[in-house]
């Protein structure tokens, strides 16, 4: 199991790193977006918890998207993706 964190995830920079540390997640399995993106092609499953904009392929594929050009976790490259969201809101990509 590896944890990938988007640079703007959470309410403030570093918030998710702190939450994972408080939960006892070893730091050596926590990766920044640039470190983990190359590994998704080999992943059986990507479990996304939270904001859908940070994993939306439209940021790379659709120049008309409101999030065009935003760096994203490329989870769609894994064999399967499960997204767990608190609401059904579309986020900024609407």
């Amino acid at each position: 199991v590896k944890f990938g964190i988007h640079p703007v995830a959470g309410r403030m920079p570093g918030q998710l790193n702190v939450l994972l540390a408080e939960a006892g997640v070893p730091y050596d399995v926590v990766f920044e977006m640039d470190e983990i993106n190359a590994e998704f092609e080999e992943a059986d499953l990507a479990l996304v918890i939270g904001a859908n904009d940070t994993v939306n392929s439209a940021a790379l594929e659709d120049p008309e998207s409101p999030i065009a050009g935003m760096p994203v976790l490329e989870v769609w490259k894994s064999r399967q993706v499960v997204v767990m969201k608190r609401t059904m809101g579309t986020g900024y990509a609407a």
Side-chain angles (χ1 to χ4, degrees), residues 23-82:
V25 174
Y27 192 73
D28 62 336
V29 297
V30 178
F31 299 88
E32 298 296 327
M33 179 185 65
D34 294 338
E35 298 173 305
I36 199 135
N37 265 346
E39 298 192 31
F40 285 120
E41 289 182 8
E42 300 298 320
D44 291 323
L45 174 69
L47 177 61
V48 178
I49 302 172
N52 55 320
D53 286 336
T54 62
V55 297
N56 191 331
S57 62
L60 301 179
E61 299 168 355
D62 182 2
E64 301 299 317
S65 171
I67 60 169
M70 183 178 99
V72 289
L73 288 158
E74 298 173 4
V75 297
W76 60 87
K77 293 180 178 178
S78 357
R79 288 180 187 86
Q80 294 185 39
V81 179
V82 174

